[in-house]
Amino acid sequence: MLRYVLRRLLLSIPVLFGIIFIVFALARLLPGDPCRAALGERATEAICNAFKDRYGLNEPIPVQFALYLQQLATGDLGDSIKFGRPVTELLIERLPVTVELTLYALLFAIVFGMLLGLIAAYRRNSAVDVATMIGANLGVSIPVFVLGLLLAYLFGVLLRDTPFALPPSGRLSAGLAVKPLAEQWGLQGLGGPPRSVLDFLSNIYTLNFLVTGQWDKLADALKHMVLPAVALGTIPMAIIARITRSSLLDVLGLDYIRTARAKGLRDRLVVFRHAMRNALLPVVTVIGLSLGALLGGAVLTETVFNLAGVGRSVYEAITGRDYVVIQAFTLVISIGYLIVNLLVDVSYAYLDPRIRLS
Amino acid sequence: MTTTTQPLPEVVADRLAGSPATGIWRDTLRNILRQRNALVGLAILGVLVLMAIFADQIATYRPDHVFRDETGRRNDPCIHALGCATSQTQHLFGTDANQQDVFSRVVHGARISLQVGFITVGFAILLGALIGAVAGFVGGWVDNVVMRIMDVLLAFPALLLAIAIVTVLGNGLINAQLAIGIVAIPIYARVTRASVLSVREQDFVTAARALGESPHGILFRRIMPNALTPLIVQGTLGIAGAILDVAALSFLGLGAQPPLAEWGLMIGAERNSVFNAPHLLIFPGLALALTVLAFNLLGDGLRDALDPRLNR
């Protein structure tokens, strides 16, 4: 097992460099002058030259790449051209939004997807099965942004004055404030990476309110998450439901299931205990694959629901030609995706010994 | 052993019951027509294709016609049969912020989206299949290098990479298609390479080689036809994805530009109207979802029809 993990880790290194190179190349190829984009049309030649010197833009491209790698190795992602602040600061503010959104979307997708797939397989060819599969087909076909807007209309407009109303934008209701955990726990003196991690966690609002026991605010933050998470999670949910169903049906046709049934085990026990375990393998793969779609969809979801997350920031940085931010955020998201895929592969190998031995 | 009492599987029974061997394409077609999903997909697709071909006849107005003389923008649908005053111009789906007829724009959008789907995926398949075929056929370091590059492309969340590419190329529908096409290349390269690898060492290939056929001929005449089936299935599902992704780029303002009647753009331009004029989002949204649904259903049906292992 350890050998498999190590080999898999080694194989990701060239991919990691590939990612870094592509991100760097794309950001340098961006049309338009970053100086004029940052400082406006009034910037003179001299000011622009000083600006380019400061950001190393006058060096030859290979030198720029080497400098970039050096910078990355020290954990420095550069300063945003637009905001004049370190990108890491922006990341600490915005990545938690995306992490929170993606996790809730994934949770929704896994729980409901597996549940629906299980019911459909269990009651194969029943009305429930047919309805679930029609729903799954519709679910994979509706664009994230269309579903998001429809949900916003349904729960934010049509059901506005009913108990089912849900907020269609933002992360918290007006008037509610979030205090950083460091402040609440009297750790203002804390600095360096531990402080960054703590600030990062503070910005995952639901986590912040949960650990500090602010239940009203927690409920409010969760309510704000429902629509975005459902909008983002619907496509993966539909895919997971389909895979769970078909994989479970495959397994239910195997001999050992017949044996278990012949032993007189209860049907439910056979499905949940014996079949489900083996049917999980393809489901795990699909969950891993869905993450790419989730991260891409986060750009759209964050735009529809006005959430200031990483996806939205990338989009804004692109329109503002803030290539440092584009570079850093695309890099962080892609590396996160790489790590998740690694974890999926490893867990797959853990679940199925044939993979790590081949 | 001859007195088996087990009923024959349906497919075998069918074959034995007299339908003569009819060739793979006829068989495939029959299999597809037996899939309820594929039929529904084909039916929706048929309507969409007709809508695209006869858009000028079906649409009540030109998609970019502006009703300057009308009062108000983003008017609700006005249908005379449903009691809308006949003094007003009939707008089946209402009008948008530019006082254009939404129905006509939705109808014309079918043209753009179908074209987007086919061209984008065609481009990706052409390049992907070529890359995958060469990598699988040549093997060795070429295979290694090429497939690692494909791995790197796949390591990005697709939409994010497409956004990054489109910003380099510049906004526009063609560039958005190019970006989505580039991002999809590794998928088809992998599919093709797998098929090539699976038949490369088989006897009929060795035979062709022994007969002195050129490597070029072996690859494209003997090996590639085997990759066709998975490519068709993947491509049909890929069209659904391509239409979605290009619409998403247009939604963000990176793809189609006004006044083009593209569904994603129409939704994106009016996304803040969700609270006062939802019809501007619902109609193009439904059209988009139905189109994607049609290709998804057809792709699933094709896969079930072409891959006998999946028959159940």
Side-chain angles (χ1 to χ4, degrees):
Chain A
M1 189 66 202
L2 188 67
R3 268 188 59 188
Y4 177 82
V5 174
L6 282 178
R7 204 182 57 189
R8 198 58 195 70
L9 262 177
L10 280 178
L11 278 175
S12 338
I13 292 174
V15 176
L16 178 68
F17 274 98
I19 291 177
I20 296 175
F21 178 73
I22 289 184
V23 166
F24 170 82
L26 282 174
R28 291 307 137 116
L29 287 171
L30 275 187
D33 189 344
C35 166
R36 300 229 184 270
L39 306 176
E41 294 299 324
R42 288 167 302 157
T44 62
E45 193 88 356
I47 294 177
C48 263
N49 254 329
F51 175 88
K52 284 183 175 168
D53 265 344
R54 189 169 155 231
Y55 288 98
L57 294 173
N58 282 331
E59 305 288 341
I61 293 288
V63 177
Q64 284 189 34
F65 185 57
L67 284 173
Y68 180 59
L69 281 180
Q70 201 183 3
Q71 209 186 358
L72 277 185
T74 59
D76 180 7
L77 290 168
D79 290 351
S80 158
I81 294 178
K82 191 142 198 173
F83 301 104
R85 295 167 53 199
V87 175
T88 36
E89 261 179 37
L90 289 173
L91 265 178
I92 289 171
E93 265 170 36
R94 302 190 177 181
L95 190 57
V97 183
T98 308
V99 168
E100 198 174 25
L101 172 64
T102 316
L103 282 182
Y104 283 116
L106 196 63
L107 191 72
F108 165 76
I110 293 176
V111 170
F112 283 88
M114 286 182 52
L115 199 68
L116 287 175
L118 195 86
I119 295 172
Y122 193 63
R123 299 241 174 274
R124 193 185 171 186
N125 292 335
S126 69
V128 182
D129 182 17
V130 174
T132 307
M133 285 307 110
I134 290 178
N137 271 321
L138 290 176
V140 288
S141 304
I142 188 156
V144 175
F145 52 94
V146 173
L147 182 62
L149 288 167
L150 288 180
L151 286 174
Y153 176 62
L154 185 62
F155 289 95
V157 180
L158 289 183
L159 299 173
R160 187 166 14 199
D161 298 319
T162 70
F164 301 106
L166 285 168
S169 79
R171 297 180 72 195
L172 275 180
S173 298
L176 293 183
V178 191
K179 272 192 192 163
L181 286 173
E183 204 174 300
Q184 298 182 59
W185 290 342
L187 293 170
Q188 282 97 329
L190 197 68
R195 176 63 186 264
S196 302
V197 172
L198 195 60
D199 283 346
F200 181 89
L201 294 176
S202 301
N203 284 329
I204 302 180
Y205 286 0
T206 47
L207 183 75
N208 185 335
F209 298 143
L210 185 71
V211 294
T212 53
Q214 307 181 62
W215 309 120
D216 296 354
K217 289 185 183 177
L218 178 66
D220 190 67
L222 280 175
K223 259 187 177 174
H224 278 82
M225 267 295 140
V226 174
L227 294 184
V230 170
L232 184 57
T234 293
I235 290 183
M237 179 197 73
I239 298 175
I240 291 173
R242 270 161 41 156
I243 288 286
T244 307
R245 175 181 179 274
S246 72
S247 149
L248 205 52
L249 286 179
D250 275 346
V251 173
L252 283 175
L254 294 179
D255 286 344
Y256 82 94
I257 294 294
R258 199 169 38 180
T259 311
R261 286 212 165 110
K263 281 198 310 188
L265 289 185
R266 271 178 304 133
D267 206 36
R268 206 170 291 175
L269 195 72
V270 173
V271 172
F272 287 103
R273 190 69 67 72
H274 291 68
M276 201 55 192
R277 204 177 273 183
N278 279 316
L280 272 180
L281 283 166
V283 179
V284 172
T285 322
V286 162
I287 291 173
L289 288 175
S290 307
L291 239 108
L294 279 179
L295 291 172
V299 183
L300 301 166
T301 318
E302 287 169 8
T303 308
V304 169
F305 291 101
N306 270 324
L307 301 168
V310 177
R312 179 106 185 270
S313 306
V314 169
Y315 170 65
E316 280 168 359
I318 282 167
T319 40
R321 308 233 171 286
D322 195 341
Y323 76 90
V324 181
V325 170
I326 304 172
Q327 235 171 16
F329 282 23
T330 316
L331 195 68
V332 168
I333 296 178
S334 304
I335 291 176
Y337 185 44
L338 188 73
I339 293 172
V340 169
N341 274 330
L342 198 73
L343 291 178
V344 170
D345 275 5
V346 169
S347 61
Y348 204 64
Y350 173 75
L351 289 170
D352 187 351
R354 281 170 303 181
I355 292 169
R356 60 175 180 265
L357 294 175
S358 71
Chain B
M1 290 305 277
T2 47
T3 54
T4 169
T5 49
Q6 275 218 330
L8 286 163
E10 193 187 329
V11 185
V12 180
D14 255 20
R15 296 264 157 81
L16 294 179
S19 57
T22 44
I24 183 165
W25 294 112
R26 185 86 71 79
D27 272 4
T28 304
L29 189 66
R30 220 176 38 180
N31 275 339
I32 293 170
L33 294 181
R34 218 181 268 155
Q35 309 274 345
R36 205 181 325 147
N37 276 1
L39 276 182
V40 176
L42 268 179
I44 303 175
L45 194 58
V47 173
L48 284 167
V49 169
L50 287 179
M51 202 161 105
I53 295 175
F54 298 108
D56 290 325
Q57 285 73 36
I58 297 171
T60 27
Y61 305 100
R62 283 216 340 269
D64 52 358
H65 180 81
V66 177
F67 289 84
R68 283 179 216 288
D69 45 337
E70 279 182 19
T71 48
R73 300 159 185 278
R74 303 195 176 100
N75 288 333
D76 284 342
C78 167
I79 304 167
H80 292 161
L82 293 181
C84 180
T86 41
S87 56
Q88 285 179 290
T89 322
Q90 175 159 280
H91 294 294
L92 295 178
F93 292 175
T95 57
D96 64 13
N98 301 321
Q99 294 175 299
Q100 293 169 327
D101 183 64
V102 175
F103 175 72
S104 306
R105 291 176 68 73
V106 168
V107 169
H108 276 269
R111 254 183 207 179
I112 297 178
S113 279
L114 289 180
Q115 170 258 7
V116 159
F118 282 107
I119 293 183
T120 310
V121 170
F123 166 79
I125 286 187
L126 216 63
L127 281 181
L130 192 71
I131 291 172
V134 170
F137 190 61
V138 176
W141 66 270
V142 175
D143 182 28
N144 248 320
V145 169
V146 169
M147 294 321 286
R148 287 300 82 73
I149 295 175
M150 295 294 118
D151 283 352
V152 171
L153 285 180
L154 275 180
F156 287 93
L159 191 62
L160 201 65
L161 184 57
I163 290 178
I165 294 176
V166 109
T167 42
V168 171
L169 298 172
N171 299 349
L173 186 58
I174 306 277
N175 287 343
Q177 286 178 252
L178 207 55
I180 298 294
I182 293 173
V183 171
I185 287 175
I187 301 169
Y188 302 105
R190 278 196 174 178
V191 167
T192 315
R193 177 173 172 273
S195 317
V196 170
L197 285 183
S198 71
V199 297
R200 194 175 63 172
E201 305 300 337
Q202 280 185 18
D203 289 345
F204 72 92
V205 177
T206 318
R209 202 170 282 143
L211 287 171
E213 197 162 341
S214 67
H216 180 266
I218 292 175
L219 178 57
F220 289 102
R221 263 199 303 277
R222 309 285 165 202
I223 296 183
M224 279 303 273
N226 291 288
L228 222 52
T229 307
L231 276 179
I232 290 174
V233 172
Q234 193 68 50
T236 312
L237 293 169
I239 290 178
I243 292 177
L244 263 186
D245 287 348
V246 172
L249 287 180
S250 297
F251 172 81
L252 290 172
L254 301 169
Q257 299 297 317
L260 210 57
E262 202 269 353
W263 295 331
L265 171 67
M266 291 166 71
I267 298 166
E270 294 291 352
R271 70 187 158 87
N272 290 325
S273 305
V274 65
F275 303 111
N276 44 35
H279 64 274
L280 294 178
L281 311 165
I282 290 173
F283 293 117
L286 278 181
L288 190 55
L290 272 177
T291 311
V292 176
L293 178 69
F295 282 105
N296 271 335
L297 287 175
L298 189 63
D300 283 346
L302 276 177
R303 186 176 47 202
D304 292 347
L306 294 171
D307 190 345
R309 278 168 307 172
L310 286 171
N311 274 348
R312 64 171 68 96

